[in-house]
Amino acid sequence: MKALVNDICALVRECGKIILAANREKMAIDIKSGVTDLVTEYDKNIQEQLKVGLKKLLPEARFIGEEGSSDELTEEGYAFVVDPIDGTTNFIKDYHVSAISVALLKGKEPVVGVIYNPYLDEVFSAIKGQGAFCNGKKITVSAQPINNALVLFGTSPYDKGLFGKTIEIITGYFNRALDIRRSGSAALDLCSVAAGRAELYFELQVSPWDFAAGKLLVEEAGGVVTTFDGEPLSFEGKTSILAKNGVI
Ligand code: IPD
Ligand code: CA
Ligand code: CA
């Protein structure tokens, strides 16, 4: 597994160069589920490169990616769950908060998670049962209680009907915590919790590719990840998410 993870880290680092070299002025942008749900030629290009590269590393694994056609998740066997650019709106805006996320699931549970932030050249990696790392250095969640917490949240931008409830929840956290943040990348929010840079992240609607790798990273760093209501997360469709350190 360790050799496989090293190979995946090398692959995402290569793909990260595509993000850094992108020509944002001339790039093709398409609308997906609605006018705020966008995909660029670079999302598609990176997904294709990941598909080819991951297939070479583990030919028997299925492939599920955000962009384009995907295999089904099954009870047995391996499946890669990939988000080629998490934080596409940030990428389009040149906001410098986007990442490449690759998880390997065995059956329906992640056994490997790799997330790469090309802007900071940080690669986060975890193997089930073997801890979580950032650029090879072990990371752990923080031990801070809610009154000393940085609380991260996502706005579920592709279902704007959820915003009222999101604001209600984040208002509650804002009153109890140190401060709140909205980054625009669910994968990097999960890395921040795993690395102890923030204490909690929640979002009312995310997709499996947004959190598959990050969930394992947080858990391997000592944190807890569930739905917002505290139920186990499903990798079969959209869900809410709540990730926190072991104290809150
Ligand atoms: C989105 C980002 C965003 C989160 C959304 C995700 P995308 O992913 O992670 O932070 O709020 O729920 O869908 O579309 O940029 O890959
Ligand atoms: Ca995403
Ligand atoms: Ca994406």
Side-chain angles (χ1 to χ4, degrees):
M1 240 358 147
K2 188 92 185 73
L4 175 66
V5 171
N6 287 341
D7 289 341
I8 296 173
C9 290
L11 181 61
V12 295
R13 277 183 189 279
E14 270 309 303
C15 290
K17 292 180 189 164
I18 300 172
I19 292 181
L20 298 181
N23 181 347
R24 252 167 307 275
E25 265 125 60
K26 285 203 181 140
M27 76 185 160
I29 302 174
D30 292 327
I31 291 170
K32 296 200 290 179
S33 65
V35 287
T36 57
D37 187 2
L38 306 171
V39 59
T40 73
E41 61 185 281
Y42 296 101
D43 297 69
K44 294 176 192 168
N45 178 348
I46 292 172
Q47 173 150 326
E48 198 44 44
Q49 300 227 16
L50 289 172
K51 193 172 184 175
V52 171
L54 294 169
K55 190 96 201 146
K56 277 187 201 147
L57 296 178
L58 198 62
E60 73 265 34
R62 291 180 190 80
F63 184 88
I64 296 160
E66 179 176 10
E67 316 302 345
S69 62
S70 282
D71 295 328
E72 292 276 301
L73 200 59
T74 54
E75 291 292 340
E76 282 163 28
Y78 288 107
F80 285 109
V81 178
V82 162
D83 194 337
I85 302 181
D86 183 62
T88 293
T89 308
N90 284 347
F91 170 65
I92 291 169
K93 293 285 182 186
D94 202 16
Y95 192 72
H96 288 208
V97 185
S98 305
I100 298 169
S101 179
V102 175
L104 178 65
L105 272 61
K106 189 168 186 206
K108 294 189 176 176
E109 274 307 310
V111 289
V112 167
V114 173
I115 295 174
Y116 182 53
N117 177 348
Y119 301 105
L120 296 179
D121 191 27
E122 285 186 329
V123 63
F124 295 86
S125 62
I127 300 173
K128 194 167 175 59
Q130 295 184 33
F133 298 84
C134 175
N135 286 350
K137 227 177 122 195
K138 195 166 169 53
I139 53 172
T140 56
V141 294
S142 88
Q144 297 295 325
I146 189 70
N147 62 318
N148 211 19
L150 206 48
V151 173
L152 314 181
F153 70 108
T155 52
S156 314
Y158 312 135
D159 183 350
K160 294 205 180 223
L162 294 168
F163 192 59
K165 191 175 173 202
T166 302
I167 285 299
E168 209 176 285
I169 297 166
I170 200 63
T171 303
Y173 280 127
F174 181 64
N175 288 328
R176 294 161 63 212
L178 210 53
D179 206 350
I180 58 172
R181 300 280 186 271
R182 171 11 176 196
S183 77
S185 165
L188 290 178
D189 288 343
L190 288 162
C191 290
S192 294
V193 174
R197 297 171 183 175
E199 280 62 36
L200 186 149
Y201 155 71
F202 82 90
E203 185 155 359
L204 296 180
Q205 190 185 86
V206 284
S207 294
W209 40 80
D210 297 319
F211 66 83
K215 175 183 188 278
L216 184 67
L217 274 153
V218 172
E219 290 174 344
E220 286 300 317
V224 181
V225 187
T226 59
T227 67
F228 189 73
D229 299 320
E231 300 296 327
L233 279 183
S234 160
F235 291 87
E236 283 172 276
K238 291 178 178 173
T239 174
S240 64
I241 186 166
L242 175 65
K244 46 191 186 168
N245 68 14
V247 175
I248 293 171

